[in-house]
Amino acid sequence: MEMFSGTMRFLLILFFSCLFCHGKATDCGGKSVAQTIVVDQQGKAAFTTVQAAIDSVKSNNDQWVKIHIKPGLYIERVTIPYEKPCIILEGESSSTTTISYSDHPSINNNATFTSSSSNVVASGITFKNSYNLANTIYEPKDVGSEPIEPATAARIYGDKSFFYNCSFVGYQDTLFDAYGRHYYKDCYIEGEIDFIFGSAQSYYEVNYTNNCLMDVVGRDPNLPGFVTAQGRSSSDDAGGFVFEGGSIRGNGKVNLGRAWRAYSRVIFHQTYFDSIITPEGWVAWNASDNASTTTYAEIDCKGPGADSSKRVPWTKKLSYSEMNDFSFTSFINKDGWFDNLPTIS
């Protein structure tokens, strides 16, 4: 009896051909941009919405396509699907180019921006979910007029994603850093409850400590929030959040993180902590049965909130060699994917 039928052979050939095509597509043809598309709300370009510009990119795209977004407030939900890699979203600055929406059904469906493809770059854009925010310029509301709900500004699924000079604005579950290797450079992230969460393998870097990498929006002085809720699920899971430099400031008490899953991993290196950081710093949450499986560490951090004398006893003390495993090169760029991206200014 033959092991495979003719139909099965065809399906297997098709399957492996698709794998080859997707692998080739993720190379994106080198560092050059093959096409630039412009979005302008005033009708002075090919598209007036960001989503329409993305929709125009061919499936299984294998060359870098830049979508330049003119200044404006774009009230729309934007998605880069899995089959459209090699896309650059370029705003003119995060203070003038904003993509915003107001929705909250669930963390899997409510995001203002969703990126599912590999090889995606974004720069100079604010991604906002205004549902829990007061005084938005197009849907003003009293802070207490509606219950707080998870309302995600961005969810990032694709591998090899780079965000430069972007802002992520929300209150609860602002940035769903879901899966893949991601690099956030000189970005601003605002929220209070689990406002950076997910299972990704991500590196957040700001080279100057006076810049506010994370801004805590406190509402209840008696109820501290959480900067991170990282979801690493096993000891051999590559995921984790590494924060290099920057600062945590704001107007409400906040914990550095809580364990969404048992092997949660978050490391702060040379980060400035304002006095808003709680003395204990970390919460076991879903790792409460054995908090020692988590990896929570603070190395060479500064500021009034950096006093670690009252931290939970299961935080980690990393040696120099262990810390080297969490450098940019070692942690997310071993294969050099970042070096193959087009230059972003």
Side-chain angles (χ1 to χ4, degrees):
M1 185 176 68
E2 290 190 4
M3 187 174 295
F4 299 111
S5 68
T7 301
M8 182 61 72
R9 284 198 196 96
F10 171 77
L11 291 175
L12 285 172
I13 291 170
L14 180 62
F15 172 74
F16 286 110
S17 296
C18 287
L19 283 180
F20 174 77
C21 290
H22 280 296
K24 186 176 181 180
T26 57
D27 293 335
C28 299
K31 302 179 72 170
S32 299
V33 175
Q35 180 186 7
T36 298
I37 301 169
V38 179
V39 179
D40 186 343
Q41 285 184 321
Q42 308 304 315
K44 298 178 180 178
F47 299 98
T48 58
T49 68
V50 179
Q51 189 60 56
I54 293 170
D55 292 344
S56 74
V57 177
K58 67 179 181 179
S59 294
N60 301 318
N61 173 49
D62 60 359
Q63 300 287 320
W64 284 110
V65 175
K66 178 188 292 186
I67 298 175
H68 181 81
I69 308 168
K70 291 288 188 179
L73 173 63
Y74 295 83
I75 304 173
E76 56 176 307
R77 182 181 281 123
V78 172
T79 298
I80 299 178
Y82 170 79
E83 68 274 11
K84 294 192 177 185
C86 310
I87 287 179
I88 302 168
L89 296 182
E90 179 187 67
E92 297 199 2
S93 79
S94 59
S95 62
T96 63
T97 307
T98 298
I99 300 172
S100 186
Y101 207 72
S102 178
D103 203 358
H104 70 285
S106 73
I107 61 174
N108 290 320
N109 298 301
N110 75 323
T112 298
F113 173 65
T114 298
S115 179
S116 297
S117 180
S118 63
N119 285 289
V120 168
V121 175
S123 68
I125 302 171
T126 289
F127 302 99
K128 177 190 287 188
N129 192 321
S130 67
Y131 177 76
N132 293 320
L133 304 182
N135 302 319
T136 58
I137 63 176
Y138 63 91
E139 189 187 350
K141 79 170 102 175
D142 181 9
V143 171
S145 65
E146 295 186 37
I148 298 300
E149 301 277 0
T152 302
R155 54 179 181 163
I156 315 302
Y157 290 104
D159 191 32
K160 298 186 285 189
S161 300
F162 175 42
F163 293 84
Y164 176 61
N165 269 335
C166 288
S167 294
F168 303 88
V169 178
Y171 180 76
Q172 180 172 344
D173 296 349
T174 302
L175 174 58
F176 186 6
D177 202 11
Y179 301 104
R181 291 168 296 171
H182 308 153
Y183 180 30
Y184 300 84
K185 171 70 171 173
D186 294 343
C187 290
Y188 168 90
I189 308 166
E190 179 184 304
E192 184 177 25
I193 303 172
D194 302 340
F195 62 97
I196 306 171
F197 74 107
S199 303
Q201 183 179 350
S202 295
Y203 197 87
Y204 298 77
E205 182 176 19
V206 174
N207 287 334
Y208 36 94
T209 58
N210 288 331
N211 188 65
C212 191
L213 173 60
M214 290 151 281
D215 191 3
V216 179
V217 183
R219 291 184 177 174
D220 186 345
N222 300 313
L223 188 64
F226 302 89
V227 176
T228 66
Q230 207 281 326
R232 185 167 172 255
S233 58
S234 68
S235 60
D236 57 358
D237 185 336
F241 299 160
V242 176
F243 296 90
E244 179 69 34
S247 65
I248 302 177
R249 305 173 188 268
N251 61 359
K253 287 293 182 180
V254 71
N255 296 285
L256 294 171
R258 59 177 174 173
W260 187 17
R261 295 191 177 96
Y263 289 82
S264 180
R265 180 162 61 182
V266 181
I267 295 166
F268 289 95
H269 181 227
Q270 296 185 341
T271 304
Y272 178 91
F273 294 155
D274 207 346
S275 59
I276 63 173
I277 307 300
T278 63
E280 61 274 16
W282 308 89
V283 175
W285 199 24
N286 291 327
S288 57
D289 290 341
N290 185 8
S292 65
T293 61
T294 64
T295 301
Y296 291 148
E298 305 161 48
I299 298 96
D300 297 333
C301 294
K302 298 179 172 61
D307 180 0
S308 61
S309 62
K310 296 181 180 180
R311 291 288 193 261
V312 293
W314 32 270
T315 55
K316 298 294 192 293
K317 305 295 184 184
L318 300 181
S319 67
Y320 176 80
S321 60
E322 288 173 321
M323 190 58 207
N324 187 59
D325 292 337
F326 299 103
S327 68
F328 172 76
T329 299
S330 298
F331 190 56
I332 64 166
N333 195 41
K334 278 186 177 179
D335 62 356
W337 68 268
F338 180 76
D339 305 316
N340 293 323
L341 299 181
T343 300
I344 305 298
S345 58

